[in-house]
Amino acid sequence: MSYVSEKGRQNVHSKRWANEQAKAQRIEYAASLPKPMKLTKAEAQAKHSEILAQRQLTYGVSRGIIKSIDVDDYKIITGGKGISQEVNDVIINTMKKCEKDGQFVISEISDKISLTKTEGTPVLQIEPMANGLLKLNVNTEYLSGKTLEEINKAFADTKINVAISLEEAIIHESGHAISIKGKTGKQVEDFYAMLKDKGLPGISKIALDDGAECLAELEVLRHRGTKVSKALSDFYEQYMGRKYL
């Protein structure tokens, strides 16, 4: 998950803090969701490959004028919420590039960010879906009314992760997507549990605390072309299934 540091805000009418109100909304939203479809590992991987093959049609020369599923969903959940076009363009264009590079698919987009115990405000989050596909959660409340420069500065000022811009935060999330693409819900759960205590030093606080976050942080460093220790590059290659550099 990608964080920025921010103090809580209180609603002047309800006197409720923003995080409390968001929590209540998330609980209400979760209760309204239908039960997810359960697929076997083979079915999940086949479904992911099918959608990826269809999505690759959008990566041709004329890709800029072709609407993919994620773009349409993104416009629906962000419409009328005060997010600047410049910010929207960075999120959409960067994630589309990451999809192509990492060979994964964002099949759904939501503005519901899951609860977190980490200090800071979660802005973006990749969430595994029970059918083996992936969802991008976007904190539209945080992004609303902010310029790209303000958002980039907030990331640059945050000390718990390596991302120093909105673009790098999206690349971080793509690292999560690459690591879990095609996995069923149970497989993702087991994967994260196995990595929980495998964080490594020398990158960031979240990389030290959690191996899954370490992989996502390494994805940012890989994108920068930053050389890392053999232990870190071996860790990346073992769990991401591709070369670090």
Side-chain angles (χ1 to χ4, degrees):
M1 189 180 297
S2 302
Y3 300 90
V4 293
S5 295
E6 183 184 74
K7 294 181 179 179
R9 297 188 301 276
Q10 190 176 38
N11 186 296
V12 295
H13 302 294
S14 67
K15 303 302 180 184
R16 298 178 68 180
W17 291 96
N19 59 347
E20 293 177 350
Q21 182 175 355
K23 179 179 178 181
Q25 290 172 340
R26 284 193 294 271
I27 293 173
E28 180 180 355
Y29 171 77
S32 70
L33 292 177
K35 291 185 177 180
M37 175 176 59
K38 292 184 178 180
L39 301 179
T40 65
K41 177 182 178 181
E43 290 172 334
Q45 291 176 335
K47 185 66 174 177
H48 187 275
S49 297
E50 176 187 346
I51 294 178
L52 181 59
Q54 294 173 351
R55 183 72 59 80
Q56 285 176 337
L57 295 174
T58 70
Y59 291 126
V61 175
S62 302
R63 135 184 167 190
I65 61 173
I66 300 175
K67 292 181 179 180
S68 61
I69 298 173
D70 55 326
V71 173
D72 290 336
D73 289 348
Y74 182 85
K75 289 180 178 178
I76 291 172
I77 69 114
T78 60
K81 295 190 177 180
I83 302 176
S84 76
Q85 187 60 51
E86 187 178 29
V87 170
N88 284 338
D89 286 345
V90 169
I91 294 175
I92 292 171
N93 294 335
T94 304
M95 187 55 81
K96 284 174 72 70
K97 291 177 183 177
C98 289
E99 279 184 315
K100 184 178 182 181
D101 173 65
Q103 291 293 288
F104 64 88
V105 174
I106 300 299
S107 60
E108 188 174 328
I109 295 181
S110 168
D111 61 353
K112 310 300 180 182
I113 295 285
S114 297
L115 298 176
T116 173
K117 295 180 180 179
T118 303
E119 182 180 351
T121 300
V123 178
L124 299 163
Q125 176 189 47
I126 288 291
E127 180 182 347
M129 299 169 66
N131 54 9
L133 302 178
L134 302 170
K135 180 194 296 186
L136 173 65
N137 297 330
V138 180
N139 189 338
T140 54
E141 181 183 0
Y142 175 80
L143 296 173
S144 177
K146 293 182 176 64
T147 66
L148 179 60
E149 181 179 2
E150 289 171 333
I151 294 169
N152 286 343
K153 185 179 186 306
F155 276 112
D157 289 344
T158 302
K159 306 305 180 185
I160 63 175
N161 40 235
V162 298
I164 58 173
S165 66
L166 178 59
E167 179 183 9
E168 288 196 339
I170 297 164
I171 293 167
H172 172 101
E173 295 309 314
S174 79
H176 287 303
I178 293 168
S179 72
I180 64 174
K181 64 181 181 181
K183 289 182 170 66
T184 64
K186 181 62 166 62
Q187 289 172 327
V188 172
E189 183 180 344
D190 292 344
F191 181 70
Y192 282 158
M194 179 268 298
L195 288 173
K196 182 62 180 174
D197 298 320
K198 292 185 182 293
L200 295 173
I203 303 177
S204 67
K205 182 182 185 301
I206 60 173
L208 179 62
D209 292 345
D210 190 316
E213 294 295 345
C214 184
L215 290 174
E217 294 283 78
L218 283 167
E219 186 63 29
V220 177
L221 297 181
R222 178 182 184 271
H223 184 267
R224 291 180 187 172
T226 302
K227 292 184 178 180
V228 297
S229 68
K230 187 176 186 302
L232 287 170
S233 62
D234 286 350
F235 180 76
Y236 177 92
E237 292 173 7
Q238 178 181 356
Y239 294 110
M240 296 293 257
R242 63 178 187 169
K243 298 292 289 182
Y244 175 75
L245 288 178

